[in-house]
Amino acid sequence: MKTTLSLAPSAALRIFHFDDIDRYRSGATALQFELTPLVRKISARQFMLTMPGCDMLVESSFPRLTGGKLMPGRTVIGFSMTDEAAGLFNGIDLKVSTLVLGHGGAGYVAYENKPHCFARVAFEPEIHDRGWPAADKGFAHFIMPRPAHDRLRCLVMEIMTLASHSPDDLQRPEVAQGAKESLLAAADEAFANSAFALGRRSSQAERFLGIIKSIDEIISANPASPIYSGELAGTLGVSVRTLHNAVLQYRGMSLHRYLKLKRLWQVRQRLLIGNISVKACALAYGFWHLSDFSRSYRTLFGELPSQTLALAHWTGPDAPRDGAGPASHWAR
């Protein structure tokens, strides 16, 4: 992202770079939001700034599936920092000028189909007195006019530049409050001039979102055994077709591909522990066709399962670490 290359870390601005998905995942897990990468090799960068009553994150991300819940007592807005859309957010196609709004406790699932850069601004306490549209359940989506979008982008970069180059100035209460007020005013403008809202979901869409959350909870609760479509459908009391439609709408892929992706990541995490053969691990997670398993594994992770297993002894507390740092975004 060219607009952030000149920024350097400071007492006010934290910058993290991740070129290894396992390091990124370890940070994400600590912050309790679900993450399934769609690629093995990544290059993710985060710029994080905390001010009284407000914090900001700008992230250059990578293709992935994410989900989580906002911390209580916060109102969050989010928008793209580039002129490219990047997938689905709560089952709704993200347009270039989408403005996302959510309050504390709101849940989300997202599908990012390509690398992109986004900004997230969190206000604390929650914002309920500025005439912003209601977002009582989950998140609401709005389409901003281009000038309002550009104003938000510009403000975020200007504040982060100040944090990088003159951190002492931004740490003065009056300066930080002024920066927060500028962000609130820019959001006021964006909401006041939004063309239309996208946040109203049908009862079926709400049901599908609940199904997605239940699928992820079941998979997370059973990390040592594979989960199959028929078993999931029986547990949730729905048809396999309903599962497929829900995953397609909210995860942007078929149910079969989604479950296979989850199982491949479970295999990888197990191989990194060690003390198991590749064949035994593959079979344990339901990959009976070993050559197909090996091809799928290499396509996703860029290495053979045996190469991952060879790394197992490097994953303990004495393993070399690079790019360590927070890996959260919406869940914070």
Side-chain angles (χ1 to χ4, degrees), residues 260 264 278 282 287 289-306:
K260 184 176 181 179
L264 284 169
V278 169
F287 290 101
H289 195 307
L290 297 182
S291 60
D292 178 69
F293 159 72
S294 184
R295 283 194 300 270
S296 298
Y297 192 97
R298 186 170 188 175
T299 297
L300 179 59
F301 301 117
E303 63 189 27
L304 294 170
S306 58

PDB file of all heavy atoms in Angstrom, residues 260 264 278 282 287 289-306:
ATOM      1  N   LYS A 260     -13.503 -29.015   3.297  1.00  0.00           N
ATOM      2  CA  LYS A 260     -12.178 -29.520   2.934  1.00  0.00           C
ATOM      3  C   LYS A 260     -11.097 -28.539   3.361  1.00  0.00           C
ATOM      4  O   LYS A 260     -10.050 -28.936   3.885  1.00  0.00           O
ATOM      5  CB  LYS A 260     -12.111 -29.763   1.427  1.00  0.00           C
ATOM      6  CG  LYS A 260     -10.783 -30.375   0.973  1.00  0.00           C
ATOM      7  CD  LYS A 260     -10.810 -30.674  -0.520  1.00  0.00           C
ATOM      8  CE  LYS A 260      -9.488 -31.318  -0.974  1.00  0.00           C
ATOM      9  NZ  LYS A 260      -9.503 -31.630  -2.424  1.00  0.00           N
ATOM     10  N   LEU A 264      -8.057 -29.339   5.922  1.00  0.00           N
ATOM     11  CA  LEU A 264      -6.647 -29.172   5.555  1.00  0.00           C
ATOM     12  C   LEU A 264      -5.906 -28.349   6.608  1.00  0.00           C
ATOM     13  O   LEU A 264      -4.761 -28.660   6.967  1.00  0.00           O
ATOM     14  CB  LEU A 264      -6.526 -28.512   4.181  1.00  0.00           C
ATOM     15  CG  LEU A 264      -6.811 -29.421   2.976  1.00  0.00           C
ATOM     16  CD1 LEU A 264      -6.934 -28.596   1.704  1.00  0.00           C
ATOM     17  CD2 LEU A 264      -5.704 -30.479   2.827  1.00  0.00           C
ATOM     18  N   VAL A 278       2.603 -38.587   8.158  1.00  0.00           N
ATOM     19  CA  VAL A 278       1.736 -37.859   7.246  1.00  0.00           C
ATOM     20  C   VAL A 278       0.520 -38.705   6.894  1.00  0.00           C
ATOM     21  O   VAL A 278      -0.628 -38.220   6.898  1.00  0.00           O
ATOM     22  CB  VAL A 278       2.493 -37.449   5.973  1.00  0.00           C
ATOM     23  CG1 VAL A 278       1.527 -36.930   4.908  1.00  0.00           C
ATOM     24  CG2 VAL A 278       3.543 -36.393   6.289  1.00  0.00           C
ATOM     25  N   ALA A 282      -3.350 -37.709   7.676  1.00  0.00           N
ATOM     26  CA  ALA A 282      -4.315 -37.530   6.590  1.00  0.00           C
ATOM     27  C   ALA A 282      -5.531 -38.417   6.791  1.00  0.00           C
ATOM     28  O   ALA A 282      -6.683 -37.966   6.664  1.00  0.00           O
ATOM     29  CB  ALA A 282      -3.648 -37.822   5.252  1.00  0.00           C
ATOM     30  N   PHE A 287      -8.949 -37.890   4.855  1.00  0.00           N
ATOM     31  CA  PHE A 287      -8.379 -37.822   3.506  1.00  0.00           C
ATOM     32  C   PHE A 287      -7.919 -39.222   3.090  1.00  0.00           C
ATOM     33  O   PHE A 287      -6.775 -39.608   3.299  1.00  0.00           O
ATOM     34  CB  PHE A 287      -7.218 -36.820   3.469  1.00  0.00           C
ATOM     35  CG  PHE A 287      -7.648 -35.388   3.620  1.00  0.00           C
ATOM     36  CD1 PHE A 287      -7.518 -34.745   4.845  1.00  0.00           C
ATOM     37  CD2 PHE A 287      -8.181 -34.695   2.553  1.00  0.00           C
ATOM     38  CE1 PHE A 287      -7.909 -33.420   4.995  1.00  0.00           C
ATOM     39  CE2 PHE A 287      -8.584 -33.361   2.688  1.00  0.00           C
ATOM     40  CZ  PHE A 287      -8.454 -32.731   3.914  1.00  0.00           C
ATOM     41  N   HIS A 289      -7.874 -40.467  -0.052  1.00  0.00           N
ATOM     42  CA  HIS A 289      -7.152 -40.473  -1.328  1.00  0.00           C
ATOM     43  C   HIS A 289      -5.855 -39.691  -1.115  1.00  0.00           C
ATOM     44  O   HIS A 289      -5.826 -38.470  -1.225  1.00  0.00           O
ATOM     45  CB  HIS A 289      -8.011 -39.814  -2.417  1.00  0.00           C
ATOM     46  CG  HIS A 289      -7.546 -40.076  -3.816  1.00  0.00           C
ATOM     47  ND1 HIS A 289      -6.255 -39.832  -4.235  1.00  0.00           N
ATOM     48  CD2 HIS A 289      -8.206 -40.563  -4.900  1.00  0.00           C
ATOM     49  CE1 HIS A 289      -6.148 -40.142  -5.511  1.00  0.00           C
ATOM     50  NE2 HIS A 289      -7.316 -40.596  -5.942  1.00  0.00           N
ATOM     51  N   LEU A 290      -4.786 -40.387  -0.808  1.00  0.00           N
ATOM     52  CA  LEU A 290      -3.571 -39.720  -0.338  1.00  0.00           C
ATOM     53  C   LEU A 290      -2.901 -38.865  -1.396  1.00  0.00           C
ATOM     54  O   LEU A 290      -2.341 -37.809  -1.079  1.00  0.00           O
ATOM     55  CB  LEU A 290      -2.589 -40.765   0.210  1.00  0.00           C
ATOM     56  CG  LEU A 290      -3.099 -41.543   1.436  1.00  0.00           C
ATOM     57  CD1 LEU A 290      -2.030 -42.515   1.913  1.00  0.00           C
ATOM     58  CD2 LEU A 290      -3.511 -40.593   2.547  1.00  0.00           C
ATOM     59  N   SER A 291      -2.922 -39.281  -2.654  1.00  0.00           N
ATOM     60  CA  SER A 291      -2.293 -38.451  -3.680  1.00  0.00           C
ATOM     61  C   SER A 291      -3.081 -37.159  -3.894  1.00  0.00           C
ATOM     62  O   SER A 291      -2.503 -36.084  -4.078  1.00  0.00           O
ATOM     63  CB  SER A 291      -2.162 -39.227  -4.991  1.00  0.00           C
ATOM     64  OG  SER A 291      -3.430 -39.647  -5.474  1.00  0.00           O
ATOM     65  N   ASP A 292      -4.415 -37.253  -3.852  1.00  0.00           N
ATOM     66  CA  ASP A 292      -5.243 -36.053  -3.960  1.00  0.00           C
ATOM     67  C   ASP A 292      -5.027 -35.148  -2.755  1.00  0.00           C
ATOM     68  O   ASP A 292      -4.962 -33.911  -2.882  1.00  0.00           O
ATOM     69  CB  ASP A 292      -6.717 -36.436  -4.071  1.00  0.00           C
ATOM     70  CG  ASP A 292      -7.626 -35.226  -4.143  1.00  0.00           C
ATOM     71  OD1 ASP A 292      -7.584 -34.529  -5.175  1.00  0.00           O
ATOM     72  OD2 ASP A 292      -8.357 -34.967  -3.164  1.00  0.00           O
ATOM     73  N   PHE A 293      -4.913 -35.752  -1.584  1.00  0.00           N
ATOM     74  CA  PHE A 293      -4.631 -34.987  -0.382  1.00  0.00           C
ATOM     75  C   PHE A 293      -3.313 -34.225  -0.513  1.00  0.00           C
ATOM     76  O   PHE A 293      -3.234 -33.027  -0.205  1.00  0.00           O
ATOM     77  CB  PHE A 293      -4.559 -35.921   0.832  1.00  0.00           C
ATOM     78  CG  PHE A 293      -3.795 -35.345   2.001  1.00  0.00           C
ATOM     79  CD1 PHE A 293      -4.332 -34.321   2.769  1.00  0.00           C
ATOM     80  CD2 PHE A 293      -2.514 -35.812   2.315  1.00  0.00           C
ATOM     81  CE1 PHE A 293      -3.619 -33.780   3.831  1.00  0.00           C
ATOM     82  CE2 PHE A 293      -1.805 -35.278   3.377  1.00  0.00           C
ATOM     83  CZ  PHE A 293      -2.357 -34.253   4.135  1.00  0.00           C
ATOM     84  N   SER A 294      -2.287 -34.897  -0.983  1.00  0.00           N
ATOM     85  CA  SER A 294      -0.976 -34.265  -1.116  1.00  0.00           C
ATOM     86  C   SER A 294      -1.022 -33.090  -2.090  1.00  0.00           C
ATOM     87  O   SER A 294      -0.442 -32.032  -1.837  1.00  0.00           O
ATOM     88  CB  SER A 294       0.049 -35.301  -1.576  1.00  0.00           C
ATOM     89  OG  SER A 294       1.341 -34.726  -1.621  1.00  0.00           O
ATOM     90  N   ARG A 295      -1.737 -33.278  -3.216  1.00  0.00           N
ATOM     91  CA  ARG A 295      -1.862 -32.197  -4.197  1.00  0.00           C
ATOM     92  C   ARG A 295      -2.610 -31.006  -3.606  1.00  0.00           C
ATOM     93  O   ARG A 295      -2.191 -29.853  -3.761  1.00  0.00           O
ATOM     94  CB  ARG A 295      -2.586 -32.697  -5.443  1.00  0.00           C
ATOM     95  CG  ARG A 295      -1.742 -33.533  -6.384  1.00  0.00           C
ATOM     96  CD  ARG A 295      -2.432 -33.700  -7.725  1.00  0.00           C
ATOM     97  NE  ARG A 295      -3.729 -34.353  -7.601  1.00  0.00           N
ATOM     98  CZ  ARG A 295      -3.904 -35.667  -7.665  1.00  0.00           C
ATOM     99  NH1 ARG A 295      -2.855 -36.467  -7.851  1.00  0.00           N
ATOM    100  NH2 ARG A 295      -5.107 -36.183  -7.555  1.00  0.00           N
ATOM    101  N   SER A 296      -3.715 -31.283  -2.927  1.00  0.00           N
ATOM    102  CA  SER A 296      -4.510 -30.202  -2.334  1.00  0.00           C
ATOM    103  C   SER A 296      -3.709 -29.460  -1.274  1.00  0.00           C
ATOM    104  O   SER A 296      -3.760 -28.226  -1.172  1.00  0.00           O
ATOM    105  CB  SER A 296      -5.792 -30.769  -1.719  1.00  0.00           C
ATOM    106  OG  SER A 296      -6.602 -31.372  -2.694  1.00  0.00           O
ATOM    107  N   TYR A 297      -2.976 -30.215  -0.488  1.00  0.00           N
ATOM    108  CA  TYR A 297      -2.163 -29.622   0.580  1.00  0.00           C
ATOM    109  C   TYR A 297      -1.095 -28.701  -0.015  1.00  0.00           C
ATOM    110  O   TYR A 297      -0.901 -27.572   0.442  1.00  0.00           O
ATOM    111  CB  TYR A 297      -1.518 -30.725   1.417  1.00  0.00           C
ATOM    112  CG  TYR A 297      -0.891 -30.231   2.699  1.00  0.00           C
ATOM    113  CD1 TYR A 297      -1.583 -30.308   3.902  1.00  0.00           C
ATOM    114  CD2 TYR A 297       0.389 -29.687   2.710  1.00  0.00           C
ATOM    115  CE1 TYR A 297      -1.017 -29.861   5.089  1.00  0.00           C
ATOM    116  CE2 TYR A 297       0.966 -29.237   3.881  1.00  0.00           C
ATOM    117  CZ  TYR A 297       0.257 -29.318   5.067  1.00  0.00           C
ATOM    118  OH  TYR A 297       0.832 -28.861   6.240  1.00  0.00           O
ATOM    119  N   ARG A 298      -0.409 -29.191  -1.029  1.00  0.00           N
ATOM    120  CA  ARG A 298       0.662 -28.394  -1.627  1.00  0.00           C
ATOM    121  C   ARG A 298       0.111 -27.150  -2.316  1.00  0.00           C
ATOM    122  O   ARG A 298       0.727 -26.078  -2.262  1.00  0.00           O
ATOM    123  CB  ARG A 298       1.446 -29.241  -2.626  1.00  0.00           C
ATOM    124  CG  ARG A 298       2.674 -28.532  -3.179  1.00  0.00           C
ATOM    125  CD  ARG A 298       3.546 -29.481  -3.968  1.00  0.00           C
ATOM    126  NE  ARG A 298       4.812 -28.852  -4.329  1.00  0.00           N
ATOM    127  CZ  ARG A 298       5.805 -29.483  -4.931  1.00  0.00           C
ATOM    128  NH1 ARG A 298       5.692 -30.781  -5.233  1.00  0.00           N
ATOM    129  NH2 ARG A 298       6.915 -28.853  -5.228  1.00  0.00           N
ATOM    130  N   THR A 299      -1.047 -27.283  -2.966  1.00  0.00           N
ATOM    131  CA  THR A 299      -1.663 -26.127  -3.615  1.00  0.00           C
ATOM    132  C   THR A 299      -2.002 -25.039  -2.606  1.00  0.00           C
ATOM    133  O   THR A 299      -1.787 -23.847  -2.851  1.00  0.00           O
ATOM    134  CB  THR A 299      -2.948 -26.554  -4.352  1.00  0.00           C
ATOM    135  OG1 THR A 299      -2.600 -27.484  -5.380  1.00  0.00           O
ATOM    136  CG2 THR A 299      -3.646 -25.355  -4.981  1.00  0.00           C
ATOM    137  N   LEU A 300      -2.533 -25.426  -1.455  1.00  0.00           N
ATOM    138  CA  LEU A 300      -2.948 -24.457  -0.443  1.00  0.00           C
ATOM    139  C   LEU A 300      -1.770 -23.873   0.319  1.00  0.00           C
ATOM    140  O   LEU A 300      -1.708 -22.662   0.546  1.00  0.00           O
ATOM    141  CB  LEU A 300      -3.930 -25.113   0.533  1.00  0.00           C
ATOM    142  CG  LEU A 300      -4.451 -24.222   1.671  1.00  0.00           C
ATOM    143  CD1 LEU A 300      -5.171 -23.003   1.114  1.00  0.00           C
ATOM    144  CD2 LEU A 300      -5.381 -25.014   2.588  1.00  0.00           C
ATOM    145  N   PHE A 301      -0.807 -24.718   0.707  1.00  0.00           N
ATOM    146  CA  PHE A 301       0.246 -24.272   1.613  1.00  0.00           C
ATOM    147  C   PHE A 301       1.599 -24.046   0.948  1.00  0.00           C
ATOM    148  O   PHE A 301       2.520 -23.547   1.591  1.00  0.00           O
ATOM    149  CB  PHE A 301       0.408 -25.274   2.758  1.00  0.00           C
ATOM    150  CG  PHE A 301      -0.837 -25.466   3.562  1.00  0.00           C
ATOM    151  CD1 PHE A 301      -1.465 -26.698   3.619  1.00  0.00           C
ATOM    152  CD2 PHE A 301      -1.404 -24.412   4.259  1.00  0.00           C
ATOM    153  CE1 PHE A 301      -2.624 -26.877   4.357  1.00  0.00           C
ATOM    154  CE2 PHE A 301      -2.558 -24.572   5.001  1.00  0.00           C
ATOM    155  CZ  PHE A 301      -3.177 -25.814   5.041  1.00  0.00           C
ATOM    156  N   GLY A 302       1.727 -24.426  -0.308  1.00  0.00           N
ATOM    157  CA  GLY A 302       2.989 -24.191  -0.997  1.00  0.00           C
ATOM    158  C   GLY A 302       4.105 -25.109  -0.564  1.00  0.00           C
ATOM    159  O   GLY A 302       5.280 -24.832  -0.835  1.00  0.00           O
ATOM    160  N   GLU A 303       3.781 -26.206   0.103  1.00  0.00           N
ATOM    161  CA  GLU A 303       4.772 -27.174   0.530  1.00  0.00           C
ATOM    162  C   GLU A 303       4.106 -28.522   0.718  1.00  0.00           C
ATOM    163  O   GLU A 303       2.875 -28.616   0.844  1.00  0.00           O
ATOM    164  CB  GLU A 303       5.439 -26.745   1.842  1.00  0.00           C
ATOM    165  CG  GLU A 303       4.481 -26.659   3.025  1.00  0.00           C
ATOM    166  CD  GLU A 303       5.118 -26.019   4.245  1.00  0.00           C
ATOM    167  OE1 GLU A 303       6.042 -25.215   4.077  1.00  0.00           O
ATOM    168  OE2 GLU A 303       4.667 -26.318   5.374  1.00  0.00           O
ATOM    169  N   LEU A 304       4.895 -29.588   0.725  1.00  0.00           N
ATOM    170  CA  LEU A 304       4.364 -30.926   0.937  1.00  0.00           C
ATOM    171  C   LEU A 304       4.055 -31.149   2.422  1.00  0.00           C
ATOM    172  O   LEU A 304       4.671 -30.516   3.289  1.00  0.00           O
ATOM    173  CB  LEU A 304       5.365 -31.970   0.458  1.00  0.00           C
ATOM    174  CG  LEU A 304       5.633 -32.008  -1.049  1.00  0.00           C
ATOM    175  CD1 LEU A 304       6.816 -32.922  -1.340  1.00  0.00           C
ATOM    176  CD2 LEU A 304       4.387 -32.473  -1.799  1.00  0.00           C
ATOM    177  N   PRO A 305       3.127 -32.051   2.733  1.00  0.00           N
ATOM    178  CA  PRO A 305       2.863 -32.362   4.140  1.00  0.00           C
ATOM    179  C   PRO A 305       4.119 -32.803   4.885  1.00  0.00           C
ATOM    180  O   PRO A 305       4.301 -32.465   6.063  1.00  0.00           O
ATOM    181  CB  PRO A 305       1.836 -33.496   4.062  1.00  0.00           C
ATOM    182  CG  PRO A 305       1.196 -33.336   2.728  1.00  0.00           C
ATOM    183  CD  PRO A 305       2.242 -32.796   1.817  1.00  0.00           C
ATOM    184  N   SER A 306       4.991 -33.535   4.212  1.00  0.00           N
ATOM    185  CA  SER A 306       6.229 -33.986   4.861  1.00  0.00           C
ATOM    186  C   SER A 306       7.125 -32.816   5.226  1.00  0.00           C
ATOM    187  O   SER A 306       7.843 -32.865   6.244  1.00  0.00           O
ATOM    188  CB  SER A 306       6.978 -34.957   3.940  1.00  0.00           C
ATOM    189  OG  SER A 306       7.272 -34.338   2.698  1.00  0.00           O
TER     190      SER A 306
END
